[in-house]
Every structure is written in structure tokens, then in C-alpha cells.
Amino acid sequence: MSSDADAAADPAAPDPDEPSREELAAQVEALQERVEHLESGAAGDAADDEKRMVIIATKGTLDMAYPPLILASTAAAFGWDVTVFHTFWGLEILHEERSKELQLSSVGNPNTPLPNAVAALPGMDRLTTAMMNRQIDAVGTPTVDELVDTCLDMGADLQACQMTMDLMDYDADEFYDEVTTGVGAASALSEMADADIQLLV
């Protein structure tokens, strides 16, 4: 009887057309490596898909403190990577004491229904600031210091320009906890270059 007939008669004999255990193990290992490669690539793509926003905050009046903080907190809530670089009067927003006393400038403000001659009178800035603060309280809008805390809690990077700190003789201890100090314009420009959205406020 031929060997083919012997193999057919013996069910325990290996089929020459089927891969060996070593070949199967090699195929499984190759598939595992392929899966790991695809998973790492998917993770990298997800990281690349993260939106990044950089805001340059330059103004320190009560009305101009809100736009960068509202935009930053909203973007952070969406899971975006957010940086707000505060320079010149924008540092007032990060100053723990001064941020609670920001004023609304009435002179040259098109949203203040006062002629400049009247708006320039002594005490008018305090009056318009008091009116805005009453409106903020009436509608339940968060205060500036509350928005700063919200941004920091949500992971937004609030940065203070070191050159402006030196110019205005501010100390890092005067700012809110977790504010990033010692940052220069070069760092801000580098972050802006890589960001999806850049805003100057």
C-alpha cells in the first residue's frame, strides 16, 4: 500500500498542506505586532486631532477681562489645549488682588452711553464700573476671579509675561496659584505657531 494511502488511513498523520505549530505561532506574533502598531498609530492620530488655542490678552479693564477668560474656559471644556499669554495690562487679570478691582473705562467706550465730556468727569469710571458689577450680579455671570479659577481648574495654561512683570515690578506670589510665570514672548510665539487658533484680545 502506498504512503498516501497510509496517511489517509491514519487520521493522526499531519496534513502536509496545513501550517506547522511554529508557523502558526509566527503568524500570531506578526498579527499582534500589527495590532500594536495600528493602535499606537490611532493614539497618535487622536493626539494630533486635539485642538490648540492660544490667546494673547493685553487689556486689563473689567469689560476686556471677560473675552479671553470666557473663550479659554469654554475651549478647555471642549477638551482643547488652551494657553492664554497675558502681557502689559493683561497682567491685571492674573493679579489676585487687582483682578477683583478692575475698572470699566467710560471714556472712548462706544458701549457706554455717555459723551466723552461727561465720561471724563471725576468718578465716572467708578460709576460705570459699579453699574456693570450690578448687572453681573443680576444675571449671575461669574466674576473675573471666579473665571480665572475655572480656567485653571480646567487645565488652561494662564501665563504671565516675564518682561511685563519686571516692568511693573510684580512678584510671582501676587498672582493666582498655578499661573505660569517666567514666560517670554518667544515662548508665546512658538505656541502660537503650533496652535489651530490664535487670538489677540
Side-chain angles (χ1 to χ4, degrees):
M1 186 175 293
S2 68
S3 59
D4 290 342
D6 291 341
D10 184 2
D15 187 340
D17 296 331
E18 292 184 0
S20 66
R21 288 185 178 182
E22 290 78 9
E23 291 173 330
L24 287 173
Q27 291 177 6
V28 169
E29 184 177 355
L31 285 172
Q32 287 176 336
E33 290 177 358
R34 178 64 176 161
V35 168
E36 289 173 3
H37 176 72
L38 291 173
E39 287 178 346
S40 64
D45 291 342
D48 292 340
D49 288 342
E50 183 181 40
K51 294 287 187 182
R52 297 189 64 196
M53 179 170 72
V54 175
I55 303 172
I56 309 299
T58 64
K59 299 178 177 64
T61 57
L62 179 60
D63 53 335
M64 293 307 297
Y66 276 89
L69 294 175
I70 290 173
L71 289 169
S73 58
T74 303
F78 287 152
W80 292 14
D81 182 348
V82 181
T83 298
V84 187
F85 180 74
H86 297 77
T87 185
F88 275 79
W89 305 121
L91 281 187
E92 303 289 277
I93 300 171
L94 302 181
H95 195 284
E96 196 159 6
E97 294 302 322
R98 292 178 181 268
S99 65
K100 300 179 177 70
E101 302 171 355
L102 298 182
Q103 299 289 305
L104 176 65
S105 178
S106 52
V107 176
N109 189 335
N111 294 314
T112 302
L114 293 173
N116 282 339
V118 176
L121 293 173
M124 291 307 296
D125 283 354
R126 287 195 299 273
L127 176 62
T128 54
T129 299
M131 292 171 60
M132 185 169 181
N133 280 325
R134 281 199 296 271
Q135 183 68 11
I136 289 170
D137 291 338
V139 300
T141 302
T143 61
V144 170
D145 55 310
E146 289 172 339
L147 279 174
V148 169
D149 286 335
T150 298
C151 288
L152 292 170
D153 289 344
M154 298 184 74
D157 186 12
L158 304 187
Q159 301 179 348
C161 173
Q162 185 62 49
M163 186 197 74
T164 310
M165 289 176 60
D166 296 339
L167 179 66
M168 297 184 175
D169 197 25
Y170 283 161
D171 189 89
D173 294 337
E174 298 177 87
F175 297 112
Y176 289 88
D177 293 340
E178 299 180 39
V179 165
T180 304
T181 56
V183 183
S187 297
L189 288 172
S190 177
E191 293 203 38
M192 290 180 74
D194 294 333
D196 299 287
I197 299 173
Q198 308 96 359
L199 298 173
L200 175 65
V201 180

